[in-house]
Amino acid sequence: MSSTVNNVVNAVYEQLPSLSGEKPSEADPVPWTDPAVEPSVEGEPAMVKELMEVVHKMQEKNFGAHRHAMRATHVKTQGIVKGSLTVYDNLPANLAQGLFKAPGQYEVAARYANEPSFLQDDRTPGPRGMGLKVFGVQGKFMDQSGERTKTQDFTFNNAPMLELTDLPTTLEIFKIRTRNFDDHDNLNKELKKRSDYKKQTAPATLPNVHPISFTMYSQSAYRWGGYVAKYALFPSKEIQESLHNEQITKDSDPQIISLWLQEYFSKNSAEYDFRVQHLREPAKQSVEDCSAPWSEEAFPFQTVGKVVFPAGQDPFNAERRAFWDDKMKLNVWYGLEEHRPLGSVNRLRKELYKMSSGYRSEMNAAPIKEVSSIDEIP
């Protein structure tokens, strides 16, 4: 994303500390085993169980409306592309970790999507996401599914912070969203009663522009080998940055994002720098509070590789879209131990994602596949 769009995002969220005169931290990266990284959360198992029940109700509401079972979040597919991830050579030891331990090239597939739990009209501003699956990965996996498929999943959104904050807040917000699934006005009334109203409604004020121009952030923290990091994809082609001027308006097509992606990839490739932001000062970089982004000036992102999606592919090909929607799954808990998700928001995803994919499989009579080769994707 261009600096212009980044500044807009940061101003909208009003979470970043002042960057005026802020110098890069000289602290060493913090080991992931440091007790300050993952504080315990009282009542976590009960909250996760309740949240799964709430999310299941939301999936049932979507099924009732569309007679098709969908994901718990990031419901609306905008485009699916294939490409490659190149891991750079001669990385410093603190960056050469996990999947990025040695130079090489991997096949990847990615899904662009709208983040909400319903089929959102593209003219409505909101967070946009991306899920990336990397094939041919070697190492120690956290789950047998990853071991069987040899894949690593990464997930991203187009803002550096997540308004859901932590596990207790996530549960509260999802209960409100589920109660008001079809009633946006009442949803807003309930949110207005909260002290964090401005933060919870911030996603609706994100720039509604061409998605190919967005920087995509992990939002939450992960193991980076022996350390802790957030990661992001930064657009690296001039044409991508220029498209931040392509605004979605009330007169745009309700499906404009998928149309734009089809048009873009028919002629152009998309390239992203894969960058990593280390945890260096836990007092300033919370792992548990995902609504507090880490200053990019004090804790700069460092490039470890490049993701390229070539031109000449149709990201909204019906066969490809249907395959990913009904037979694919991404789960950050299936990947390498060296990229273990950290924090209560990430821990809740472990069982929640399994539940979500299980419901889709059952209701759509479409078994979810363990995809181990990019060639299995149409």
Side-chain angles (χ1 to χ4, degrees):
M1 189 193 300
S2 71
S3 59
T4 301
V5 177
N6 264 329
N7 289 339
V8 171
V9 171
N10 294 342
V12 164
Y13 276 74
E14 294 186 343
Q15 295 293 316
L16 287 176
S18 171
L19 300 183
S20 178
E22 197 169 14
K23 297 180 180 179
S25 173
E26 296 181 358
D28 292 330
V30 174
W32 83 276
T33 52
D34 189 303
V37 171
E38 282 196 291
S40 60
V41 177
E42 185 177 356
E44 181 170 335
M47 281 190 284
V48 171
K49 182 176 183 296
E50 185 177 3
L51 184 60
M52 290 176 65
E53 293 169 355
V54 171
V55 170
H56 182 66
K57 289 179 182 177
M58 188 173 287
Q59 286 187 285
E60 289 180 325
K61 287 178 181 291
N62 259 330
F63 182 81
H66 305 288
R67 285 297 188 263
H68 195 84
M70 302 176 186
R71 288 169 170 78
T73 62
H74 296 87
V75 164
K76 188 176 184 179
T77 297
Q78 298 289 12
I80 298 158
V81 289
K82 297 181 181 182
S84 63
L85 164 65
T86 299
V87 176
Y88 289 154
D89 199 358
N90 299 316
L91 294 175
N94 63 307
L95 296 178
Q97 302 281 324
L99 176 62
F100 296 79
K101 189 175 296 182
Q105 189 170 83
Y106 299 87
E107 293 180 316
V108 301
R111 172 181 180 257
Y112 293 89
N114 286 9
E115 186 272 344
S117 301
F118 55 90
L119 290 172
Q120 183 188 50
D121 187 314
D122 292 350
R123 294 170 296 185
T124 302
R128 313 303 184 199
M130 178 194 286
L132 181 74
K133 186 176 284 289
V134 184
F135 295 92
V137 176
Q138 299 297 320
K140 181 181 178 182
F141 291 86
M142 293 178 286
D143 189 274
Q144 285 300 308
S145 181
E147 178 66 43
R148 288 190 292 268
T149 60
K150 307 298 183 187
T151 56
Q152 173 68 48
D153 297 338
F154 295 101
T155 58
F156 307 85
N157 266 26
N158 67 323
M161 54 80 78
L162 178 65
E163 78 282 358
L164 294 174
T165 307
D166 53 22
L167 175 56
T169 307
T170 300
L171 177 57
E172 293 169 5
I173 296 302
F174 266 83
K175 289 166 78 171
I176 294 173
R177 290 178 181 178
T178 302
R179 280 197 300 270
N180 302 286
F181 184 78
D182 298 315
D183 191 343
H184 179 79
D185 290 340
N186 203 57
L187 170 66
N188 195 51
K189 287 180 182 178
E190 281 206 52
L191 290 175
K192 275 187 175 179
K193 299 175 183 178
R194 296 180 58 88
S195 61
D196 63 350
Y197 171 73
K198 193 170 186 178
K199 179 167 66 176
Q200 293 304 325
T201 55
T205 59
L206 280 165
N208 203 14
V209 298
H210 201 301
I212 212 72
S213 68
F214 287 131
T215 297
M216 306 299 281
Y217 298 88
S218 69
Q219 298 185 318
S220 55
Y222 295 78
R223 270 191 69 180
W224 195 261
Y227 307 103
V228 179
K230 293 184 179 182
Y231 49 78
L233 295 177
F234 285 74
S236 57
K237 291 187 69 175
E238 184 176 344
I239 186 174
Q240 288 175 254
E241 295 204 7
S242 71
L243 287 173
H244 76 264
N245 294 314
E246 288 285 331
Q247 299 279 341
I248 298 176
T249 71
K250 62 181 179 60
D251 298 319
S252 298
D253 190 292
Q255 315 303 326
I256 188 63
I257 293 178
S258 55
L259 295 174
W260 271 351
L261 289 175
Q262 282 184 299
E263 179 184 21
Y264 181 86
F265 280 106
S266 69
K267 303 174 183 177
N268 305 284
S269 65
E271 299 182 7
Y272 298 88
D273 288 335
F274 197 118
R275 299 181 187 175
V276 174
Q277 184 184 35
H278 275 306
L279 172 66
R280 297 176 183 274
E281 299 183 38
K284 296 181 180 179
Q285 297 172 277
S286 175
V287 169
E288 183 59 23
D289 183 357
C290 297
S291 70
W294 299 352
S295 165
E296 294 182 29
E297 189 164 333
F299 312 103
F301 278 94
Q302 297 172 280
T303 302
V304 295
K306 182 175 284 292
V307 173
V308 177
F309 302 121
Q313 54 183 318
D314 180 2
F316 210 64
N317 171 277
E319 189 178 5
R320 181 180 291 189
R321 174 181 49 78
F323 181 86
W324 195 297
D325 277 349
D326 288 344
K327 296 184 178 180
M328 285 275 289
K329 63 180 177 180
L330 266 70
N331 192 327
V332 291
W333 281 97
Y334 289 166
L336 295 175
E337 175 62 45
E338 289 185 286
H339 295 304
R340 171 177 287 271
L342 301 173
S344 66
V345 167
N346 269 333
R347 291 195 297 273
L348 74 86
R349 290 170 170 161
K350 187 173 186 179
E351 297 304 323
L352 184 64
Y353 283 8
K354 289 182 181 180
M355 182 273 293
S356 174
S357 63
Y359 179 74
R360 287 193 292 126
S361 176
E362 176 186 359
M363 297 305 292
N364 296 335
I368 304 295
K369 296 190 65 176
E370 289 189 329
V371 177
S372 59
S373 168
I374 198 169
D375 294 331
E376 296 177 56
I377 303 172

